[in-house]
Amino acid sequence: MRPKENATPAPARRRAPGMSQERRREMIVMAALPLVAEHGSAVTTAQIARAAGIGEATVFRAFTDKEELLDACVVEVLRPDHVLEQLASVPLDQPLTERLTEAAEAMRAHMARIGTVLGALHASGRRSRGSHTQEEGAGAPSGRAASFKATRDALTELFEPEGDRLRLPPERLAALFLSLTFAGARGSAADVEPSVAEIVDVFVHGILK
């Protein structure tokens, strides 16, 4: 049977645009982080590839070797972006104690994540090569000092609604609260580590009855 002369040809199929190299690296790092937290430097690129749903060769097209991938994981876990977003989302119409409780919980979760990943790498015998302290993500503060400042600035906004009721300037209170929260999170034993509620209560109301 001869085909009809006026038949419309089927449109050519277009290939979906490929993932950019930067996006592929981000995807691999996000898949790797839970495995790094569990296995430290003993994690294999094959495990990471399976978690990311890609072939192992794709990992090595995105990263020179496993060491570079582990460095990227350290950079990612140190980025303050996520905790800054959480601090910015705290409603300013809440009472001050509730604002600070949300902020402290967000900061503690961020520090716990850092401690888990870096602790696993250290326990598995990997020592920092120092490169990650010089790297920075797109638009993200880099370095400990810059990260501390960005977090302090975000906390400052949580104090500002109180205005003239504050004994110290908001930025000074933010720096004190940040230091107290960091110090509390470093408790070596559960029975001496102050809870978020204790930190906020003492910070807002003092130590005297």
Side-chain angles (χ1 to χ4, degrees):
M1 181 177 178
R2 296 178 61 186
K4 296 181 180 180
E5 293 182 359
N6 60 351
T8 303
R13 295 181 62 184
R14 293 183 178 181
R15 179 177 296 179
M19 183 181 296
S20 69
Q21 183 75 339
E22 181 181 358
R23 180 68 189 92
R24 181 177 291 108
R25 285 172 63 93
E26 291 175 359
M27 180 267 291
I28 293 171
V29 166
M30 297 312 294
L33 276 173
L35 294 172
V36 174
E38 181 179 358
H39 303 289
S41 60
V43 66
T44 67
T45 52
Q47 289 175 305
I48 294 171
R50 285 195 297 271
I54 57 177
E56 190 173 6
T58 303
V59 174
F60 291 109
R61 283 196 291 269
F63 297 94
T64 304
D65 53 26
K66 190 177 80 169
E67 289 303 309
E68 185 185 8
L69 172 52
L70 292 178
D71 280 343
C73 288
V74 172
V75 171
E76 177 60 32
V77 80
L78 291 175
R79 285 167 61 99
D81 304 53
H82 183 62
V83 71
L84 293 179
E85 290 175 3
Q86 290 182 299
L87 294 178
S89 69
V90 175
L92 297 181
D93 57 354
Q94 290 187 132
L96 178 61
T97 53
E98 293 184 19
R99 274 178 265 153
L100 295 184
T101 296
E102 284 194 38
E105 288 175 346
M107 290 188 294
R108 278 206 167 180
H110 175 60
M111 289 183 285
R113 186 174 183 234
I114 292 175
T116 299
V117 171
L118 298 190
L121 288 172
H122 183 83
S124 59
R126 187 176 192 268
R127 299 296 180 265
S128 170
R129 299 193 301 183
S131 60
H132 65 265
T133 58
Q134 303 300 323
E135 298 185 40
E136 56 184 285
S142 65
R144 182 175 301 178
S147 178
F148 185 93
K149 182 181 184 304
T151 307
R152 184 197 63 199
D153 291 345
L155 282 173
T156 297
E157 296 183 11
L158 302 183
F159 286 96
E160 289 176 343
E162 267 46 50
D164 295 339
R165 297 176 57 199
L166 301 175
R167 294 177 56 193
L168 294 173
E171 60 271 16
R172 182 59 181 159
L173 290 171
L176 290 170
F177 186 70
L178 184 56
S179 297
L180 182 61
T181 304
F182 278 0
R186 296 195 195 102
S188 58
D191 60 340
V192 298
E193 180 178 330
S195 68
V196 166
E198 288 173 328
I199 290 174
V200 172
D201 183 63
V202 168
F203 190 84
V204 174
H205 301 114
I207 62 173
L208 299 177
K209 293 183 179 179

